[in-house]
Amino acid sequence: MTRRRRMGRVGAWWLRAATVSSIVVINIGGACAILPIASFVVPLPTIRHEDAVKIANLWLTVGYVTVAIAFGVWRGLSLNRKSMRWFYEHREPTDAERRAVLTLPQRVFRIQGSLWLIAALVFAAFNARYDITLGVLVGISVSMAGMLTSSLSYLVTERLTRPFARRALASGVPRRVGMRVGARTFLAWLLGSGTLILGMCLSAITALGLSGTTTVEQLAVTVLVLGGIAFVLGGFTIWMAAKASSDPIKALRKAVYAVQRGHLSTEVPIYDGTEVGVLQAGFNEMVHGLREREQIRDLFGRHVGPDVARAALENGVRLGGEVRNVGALFVDIIGSTTMATNRPPEEVVALLNQFFAVVIDVVHTHGGLINKFEGDAALAVWGAPTPAEGLEQSLLTAARVMGERLRAEVPELRAGIGVSAGPAVAGNVGAAERYEYTVIGDPINEAARLTDLAKDVPLLVLARGDLLDAAGDEAAYWTQLEPVVVRGRTEPTPIATPTSGDERKPGHHT
């Protein structure tokens, strides 16, 4: 037998022992209390051979309680064994077993109530032989005691089965099968106050009906005893009923605070079959939906970039674009075809991942967006979908730093980097079923052309030269080169490349 199954058997045995012992103690206490209360508290008619009648009732109480407890224990163990078999077998409960756990307190209540109802009829009939009024009063007293003990057994059983109800409801919550919150609260009132108040009213009615036989002292004793029991039991049962409702609400409140702090792995343990349990289950389903939404948001952001994802979530998605002033950085690996031919695929993928990790980190550090990957190349943009302040400076700094880091951190690969900026169309292109956020325009084409030319300069980085005029302090790290006519153009394009370390001087960009 596995350790987990042994632990399951121990837990189920503990539940059986605790439930049975609690119910036995409660019912024996009720049975022991009913005889002195009926004899000395409730006003009874005067009958002959009163002591003999009390002794006969005592023996009847002992005999009935013995039989009733034996039957109740046997029946309770049988119900418990069927309800908890899934637990000590360490498996998921079926729907029937889940309902059995949730309805166990109600079934215990019905068993106890049936036994006490039979007791009330038996004692009423037994005492009616001596006096009809005595039989009625004893039957009512036993019924009241039965209501008290049965209700208390329900509350205790519900409390004891809570850990197992939590396990049963962890994999799913059926439609409400437990007692409603209102009914449970009414039960607590009926147990702690209502029944005993009714008993005091019946005692007063009896005293009036038996005028001349009930003294003021006896009526005072009746009120004091029943009132004291109502005070003690009322406080205890209302506390238990309040705990039964407040504990899951407190757990729900803590879970809400945890979710507000961003802990989306939070779940509320469900152990209540009332409306509160349905509320707990609804909260868990809501948090599950939030987790899925956050995962989708995270994946969406990884695919299109956090700025695009945020703009889509806040403003919705529609096809079309708008003209923006954007910066474009294009990076392309030199000799990627040869690399793929001469190296194992696993090594190629590892190098590409290392290469793009540097590219992504530099772009994000300097406020750019990776717009797309194209095999061994990548396009990063600034200024879309949200405007970028100091676009030229951020763009040139990213290009220069990227070149330095790639040479230092991925020396196995060489890559050309081209930079340009200007007006371009940015937006969603495609169809309603499938679209992509992209940037189209002259800066993108020019950056790609400069990337090809950059493969022939020492530091492998070229930028449009007039960007230096708006680059601030970053311009000191660049040197103007002779203008060139890029492919697809007729006019020369001014270009610049980063200055090597030993040539840098403040304000140097000639």
Side-chain angles (χ1 to χ4, degrees):
M1 184 184 298
T2 65
R3 181 176 180 274
R4 299 180 74 177
R5 180 165 291 187
R6 285 197 302 271
M7 293 298 292
R9 287 186 179 275
V10 170
W13 177 87
W14 173 86
L15 174 63
R16 289 198 296 269
T19 303
V20 169
S21 59
S22 300
I23 293 175
V24 168
V25 169
I26 290 171
N27 283 274
I28 289 178
C32 292
I34 189 62
L35 190 60
I37 289 176
S39 301
F40 302 107
V41 176
V42 178
L44 296 175
T46 302
I47 59 173
R48 294 184 302 171
H49 310 297
E50 183 175 340
D51 292 337
V53 172
K54 289 181 179 179
I55 293 175
N57 275 279
L58 177 61
W59 283 110
L60 180 61
T61 300
V62 171
Y64 185 83
V65 167
T66 301
V67 174
I69 287 179
F71 175 80
V73 168
W74 169 77
R75 183 60 180 153
L77 288 175
S78 176
L79 287 175
N80 187 277
R81 190 180 303 110
K82 293 179 180 178
S83 301
M84 303 305 300
R85 181 171 298 162
W86 62 272
F87 183 81
Y88 60 75
E89 289 180 355
H90 196 73
R91 59 177 174 81
E92 291 296 325
T94 63
D95 286 342
E97 289 169 332
R98 191 179 293 115
R99 291 178 181 275
V101 173
L102 294 178
T103 57
L104 183 60
Q106 294 169 264
R107 287 180 289 166
V108 168
F109 176 82
R110 287 196 294 267
I111 292 173
Q112 299 299 311
S114 299
L115 292 174
W116 277 97
L117 178 60
I118 294 173
L121 296 175
V122 169
F123 277 85
F126 179 80
N127 287 276
R129 297 182 306 160
Y130 304 103
D131 187 274
I132 295 296
T133 303
L134 176 64
V136 172
L137 292 175
V138 170
I140 293 174
S141 300
V142 174
S143 299
M144 292 172 57
M147 189 178 299
L148 294 173
T149 54
S150 300
S151 301
L152 190 57
S153 296
Y154 171 87
L155 294 174
V156 169
T157 304
E158 185 182 53
R159 187 76 179 182
L160 290 174
T161 56
R162 181 174 293 180
F164 305 93
R166 181 186 299 122
R167 286 282 303 275
L169 294 174
S171 57
V173 181
R175 295 184 62 185
R176 186 194 62 81
V177 294
M179 187 176 290
R180 291 184 181 274
V181 174
R184 185 167 58 192
T185 305
F186 176 78
L187 180 67
W189 171 84
L190 189 65
L191 165 62
S193 304
T195 301
L196 293 166
I197 292 174
L198 177 62
M200 287 189 283
C201 293
L202 292 176
S203 297
I205 293 173
T206 302
L208 292 174
L210 300 176
S211 179
T213 62
T214 301
T215 64
V216 174
E217 289 79 6
Q218 186 178 14
L219 190 58
V221 169
T222 299
V223 173
L224 285 174
V225 172
L226 294 182
I229 294 174
F231 179 80
V232 174
L233 274 181
F236 177 71
T237 54
I238 290 297
W239 174 79
M240 287 193 67
K243 289 282 288 181
S245 297
S246 65
D247 286 350
I249 293 176
K250 286 180 180 178
L252 189 61
R253 184 183 62 186
K254 290 180 180 179
V256 169
Y257 290 156
V259 171
Q260 288 176 341
R261 293 192 296 270
H263 302 299
L264 296 184
S265 60
T266 303
E267 282 197 356
V268 179
I270 305 171
Y271 48 79
D272 197 304
T274 67
E275 301 93 330
V276 178
V278 176
L279 179 63
Q280 290 174 317
F283 175 84
N284 288 340
E285 291 177 2
M286 180 193 71
V287 175
H288 178 71
L290 289 176
R291 282 198 300 268
E292 288 187 342
R293 179 181 177 184
E294 193 60 31
Q295 289 172 353
I296 293 172
R297 184 200 299 265
D298 180 62
L299 291 174
F300 184 40
R302 291 174 186 269
H303 279 278
V304 302
D307 291 333
V308 175
R310 190 179 304 111
L313 291 172
E314 292 176 355
N315 305 319
V317 177
R318 61 182 183 273
L319 295 176
E322 56 183 341
V323 176
R324 285 185 173 274
N325 185 46
V326 301
L329 183 153
F330 202 85
V331 55
D332 185 26
I333 296 175
I334 302 172
S336 59
T337 303
T338 303
M339 175 188 68
T341 303
N342 297 334
R343 294 175 182 264
E346 296 81 3
E347 186 177 341
V348 173
V349 172
L351 276 175
L352 287 175
N353 288 339
Q354 186 179 357
F355 173 83
F356 284 123
V358 174
V359 172
I360 293 170
D361 183 56
V362 172
V363 171
H364 287 174
T365 300
H366 294 88
L369 163 71
I370 296 293
N371 183 250
K372 65 181 65 179
F373 294 102
E374 297 178 355
D376 58 353
L379 171 64
V381 296
W382 278 254
T386 57
E389 295 184 4
L391 181 149
E392 291 82 0
Q393 183 172 0
S394 299
L395 180 62
L396 292 173
T397 303
R400 175 177 57 82
V401 172
M402 185 182 297
E404 293 173 354
R405 287 189 57 182
L406 288 175
R407 290 192 297 272
E409 298 177 29
V410 197
E412 300 91 342
L413 299 178
R414 299 174 69 246
I417 301 173
V419 174
S420 183
V425 176
N428 297 304
V429 175
E433 296 80 12
R434 178 71 172 87
Y435 44 79
E436 179 183 47
Y437 186 85
T438 189
V439 180
I440 304 170
D442 188 65
I444 312 304
N445 298 329
E446 188 172 67
R449 304 292 186 268
L450 292 177
T451 300
D452 292 335
L453 296 177
K455 298 175 182 179
D456 298 323
V457 299
L459 297 183
L460 305 176
V461 180
L462 281 181
R464 184 177 178 85
D466 53 13
L467 296 179
L468 301 180
D469 297 333
D473 295 340
E474 177 60 24
Y477 297 92
W478 291 77
T479 299
Q480 293 274 10
L481 300 178
E482 290 294 327
V484 297
V485 178
V486 300
R487 181 164 51 91
R489 298 281 180 85
T490 58
E491 297 294 329
T493 299
I495 58 173
T497 188
T499 306
S500 59
D502 54 352
E503 298 177 351
R504 289 175 186 163
K505 296 179 183 178
H508 176 79
H509 68 283
T510 59

